[in-house]
């Protein structure tokens, strides 16, 4: 009896060992578990995403490095490309249907526009990647062109509210002072800016000015947006 | 003539000629000394102060012309003459400062798009001409 129990024990042990090893072999090779089937996919997806991010970052870095900005008056625009003229230099701009965005700036506001809204003589600011003297535009901004300069007042016409200014590079500007022109004077003691009227402007004063430049202007005659007077007394004291 | 007399005459002539040579050399030295006073030695020459006071140039270290930025504010860093008047103007802002130190580091606002900025330095010494710098800075918002 004792022997029978002993044999039964040995057989059951062998059976257990055999069945257990078979199950282990099955799980590892023949029937993959649910978790084993999904985890490699997740890992691969993660790797792909990381690679995508890396490529996107690299592309963004290269774009940033090669990013240039140019500006000028529009000479022509056929919807695929345009030509702009900035102080006599002609630049070609290529549009990308999927990439290029167009905006019009009015004061501090911007409004998205279409490529066809960009007309001849508009002032365009283009940002994009420059290659072979052609810029592929990322962004096109249609804005106003401002001229900022300074010089000495050489002549004042009190009747027509006009001043003539001679700059250091020997340019003569004729500035019309309008009701909307912001006129400031520097207080020679405090250096603070104070609002003034046209009557305070004197010949011999130094003036810093901002004017809106238009493509067709040839005689250096502009409507002044802003003038800032440095009185001649500051230089005498 | 006695022999003693002859010796005395000889020595007299010899002494006389020695004295004559000595005096002539001495007078030459005196003459040279006089000339030295007219043209003093190099080490003692003092030239009048001809050095010209040079004007310190306006240097703008940052930002470079045609820089593209993604912020609506930039910092203008550079140097100009001490106590000069610096006027910075753009279509949206005017800034006037007295440059108490040589170096300056100023915050300046930008409008979206192109910003034409003119910097003029008026030196304290009125004999110097104002110095100017002009630049265009592009504020292109990355969200566009």
């Amino acid at each position: 009896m004792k022997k029978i129990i002993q044999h039964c024990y040995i057989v059951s042990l062998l059976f257990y060992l055999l069945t257990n090893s078979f199950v282990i072999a099955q799980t590892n090779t023949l029937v993959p578990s649910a978790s084993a089937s999904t985890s490699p996919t997740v890992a691969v997806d993660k790797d792909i995403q990381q690679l995508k991010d890396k490529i996107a970052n690299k592309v963004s870095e290269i774009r940033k490095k090669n990013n240039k900005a140019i500006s000028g008056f529009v000479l022509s625009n056929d919807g695929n490309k345009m030509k702009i003229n900035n102080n006599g230099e002609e630049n070609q701009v290529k549009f990308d249907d999927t990439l290029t965005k167009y905006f019009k700036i009015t004061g501090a506001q911007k409004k998205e526009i279409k490529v066809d809204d960009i007309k001849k003589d508009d002032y365009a600011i283009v940002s994009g990647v420059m290659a072979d003297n052609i810029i592929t535009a990322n962004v096109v901004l249609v804005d106003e062109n401002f001229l900022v300069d300074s010089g000495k007042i050489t002549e004042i016409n009190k009747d027509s509210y006009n001043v003539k200014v001679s700059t250091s590079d020997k340019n003569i500007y004729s500035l019309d002072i309008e009701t909307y022109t912001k006129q400031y004077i520097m207080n020679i003691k405090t250096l603070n800016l104070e609002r003034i009227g046209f009557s305070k402007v004197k010949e011999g004063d130094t003036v810093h000015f901002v004017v809106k430049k238009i493509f067709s202007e040839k005689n250096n005659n502009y409507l002044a947006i802003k003038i800032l007077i440095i009185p001649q007394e500051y230089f005498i004291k | 003539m006695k022999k003693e007399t002859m010796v005395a005459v000889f020595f007299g002539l010899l002494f006389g000629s020695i004295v004559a040579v000595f005096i002539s050399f001495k007078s030459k030295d005196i003459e040279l000394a006089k000339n030295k006073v007219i043209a003093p030695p190099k080490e003692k020459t003092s030239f009048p102060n001809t050095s010209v006071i040079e004007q310190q140039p306006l240097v703008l270290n940052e930002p470079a012309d045609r820089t593209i930025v993604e912020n609506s504010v930039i910092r203008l860093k550079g140097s100009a003459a001490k106590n000069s008047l610096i006027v910075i103007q753009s279509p949206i802002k005017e800034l006037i400062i007295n440059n108490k130190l040589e170096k300056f580091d100023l915050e300046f606002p930008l409008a979206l798009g192109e910003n034409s900025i003119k910097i003029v330095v008026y030196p304290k010494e009125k004999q110097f001409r104002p110095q100017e710098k002009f630049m265009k800075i592009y504020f292109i918002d990355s969200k566009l």
Side-chain angles (χ1 to χ4, degrees):
Chain A
M1 186 66 189
K2 202 179 175 184
K3 249 185 179 177
I4 291 165
I5 293 166
Q6 213 172 17
H7 281 142
C8 279
Y9 178 73
I10 291 163
V11 168
S12 63
L13 190 73
L14 281 169
F15 180 77
Y16 170 77
L17 283 170
L18 278 167
T19 51
N20 208 25
S21 66
F22 184 65
V23 168
I24 290 165
Q26 269 185 330
T27 46
N28 281 349
T29 57
L30 295 172
V31 187
S33 69
S35 63
S37 65
T38 53
S39 60
T41 320
V42 170
V44 169
D45 284 352
K46 213 175 176 184
D47 286 348
I48 289 169
Q49 193 54 48
Q50 274 181 350
L51 194 68
K52 273 183 181 174
D53 290 347
K54 270 186 186 174
I55 291 167
N57 284 343
K58 200 77 193 165
V59 168
S60 159
E61 258 178 47
I62 292 165
R63 270 189 184 286
K64 225 174 218 181
K65 202 177 166 189
N66 295 329
N67 224 21
K68 295 266 181 296
I70 57 166
S71 53
F73 289 102
V74 176
L75 297 172
S76 63
N77 173 23
D78 65 7
N80 295 316
K81 58 184 187 305
M82 72 173 177
K83 282 182 182 174
I84 59 171
N85 173 11
N86 188 18
N87 291 329
E89 191 189 332
E90 202 173 286
N91 293 107
Q92 269 203 16
V93 181
K94 213 169 81 180
F95 302 130
D96 186 322
D97 294 342
T98 54
L99 187 76
T100 313
K101 288 181 176 177
Y102 314 91
F103 295 92
K104 185 172 176 64
I105 299 173
T106 318
Q109 304 294 314
K110 64 174 190 293
K111 186 186 156 198
E112 189 152 11
I113 55 169
K114 289 176 184 168
V115 65
D116 300 330
D117 295 329
I118 304 169
K119 305 285 179 208
K120 191 177 176 289
D121 293 349
D122 277 349
Y123 190 71
I125 299 146
V126 181
S127 162
V129 180
M130 181 80 96
D132 300 329
N133 217 24
I134 298 171
I135 190 162
T136 306
N138 295 336
V139 181
V140 180
L141 304 169
V142 176
D143 198 358
E144 285 170 326
N145 181 23
F146 294 102
L147 169 76
V148 182
D149 212 336
S150 63
K152 273 231 159 74
I153 297 174
T154 54
E155 205 179 311
I156 297 177
N157 191 328
K158 297 269 181 191
D159 298 324
S160 59
Y161 290 91
N162 174 278
V163 291
K164 287 214 164 41
V165 180
S166 172
T167 64
S168 59
D169 48 5
K170 310 287 177 210
N171 275 329
I172 306 284
Y173 289 101
S174 171
L175 308 180
D176 291 330
I177 309 298
E178 300 292 327
T179 47
Y180 60 78
T181 306
K182 290 178 181 168
Q183 301 173 68
Y184 299 100
I185 194 164
M186 184 191 79
N187 183 314
I188 61 170
K189 284 177 187 162
T190 63
L191 306 187
N192 288 337
L193 296 184
E194 293 165 3
R195 291 295 285 259
I196 51 159
F198 187 68
S199 60
K200 292 275 173 75
V201 180
K202 300 189 299 291
E203 269 184 28
D205 283 348
T206 299
V207 63
H208 289 247
F209 58 89
V210 178
V211 297
K212 200 164 88 177
K213 217 173 170 183
I214 50 169
F215 185 63
S216 53
E217 182 50 58
K218 302 273 185 238
N219 301 320
N220 276 355
N221 185 27
Y222 297 103
L223 302 174
I225 305 286
K226 215 187 260 187
I227 61 166
L228 161 60
I229 304 289
I230 312 285
Q232 50 200 288
E233 289 81 6
Y234 173 80
F235 300 102
I236 297 163
K237 70 170 186 178
Chain B
M1 209 180 274
K2 280 185 182 175
K3 196 182 171 184
E4 291 82 4
T5 313
M6 288 284 283
V7 170
V9 167
F10 174 73
F11 277 107
L13 284 171
L14 188 72
F15 182 73
S17 60
I18 288 166
V19 169
V21 168
F22 176 77
I23 288 168
S24 75
F25 273 108
K26 198 74 188 164
S27 66
K28 221 174 192 177
D29 284 348
I30 290 163
E31 196 69 29
L32 279 171
K34 274 182 185 174
N35 286 346
K36 273 178 192 169
V37 172
I38 295 162
K42 267 185 182 177
E43 62 268 17
K44 285 183 181 175
T45 309
S46 60
F47 293 104
N49 191 8
T50 52
S51 63
V52 179
I53 306 162
E54 280 185 18
Q55 184 179 11
Q56 189 181 339
L58 163 63
V59 178
L60 193 68
N61 301 321
E62 271 181 53
D65 188 25
R66 295 187 176 271
T67 298
I68 304 170
V69 294
E70 293 179 359
N71 297 319
S72 60
V73 174
I74 48 158
R75 295 203 81 87
L76 302 168
K77 292 181 185 177
S79 60
K82 213 173 171 181
N83 291 320
S84 55
L85 182 80
I86 303 180
V87 181
I88 306 168
Q89 192 177 34
S90 81
I92 63 159
K93 178 81 178 169
E94 295 78 30
L95 193 63
I96 300 180
I97 59 150
N98 182 13
N99 193 35
K100 286 181 182 160
L101 305 166
E102 280 185 5
K103 287 188 176 176
F104 59 85
D105 180 357
L106 305 163
E107 210 169 69
F108 199 77
L110 299 175
L112 183 67
E114 187 178 72
N115 291 267
S116 301
I117 301 173
K118 177 136 188 167
I119 304 172
V120 183
V121 173
Y122 297 98
K124 198 185 175 195
E125 290 79 19
K126 305 293 186 264
Q127 73 267 31
F128 293 136
R129 285 179 161 214
Q131 295 172 65
E132 303 178 353
K133 281 219 188 286
F134 179 78
M135 60 183 165
K136 284 184 176 180
I137 304 293
Y138 296 95
F139 167 34
I140 312 283
D141 196 342
S142 57
K143 289 167 197 160
L144 289 179

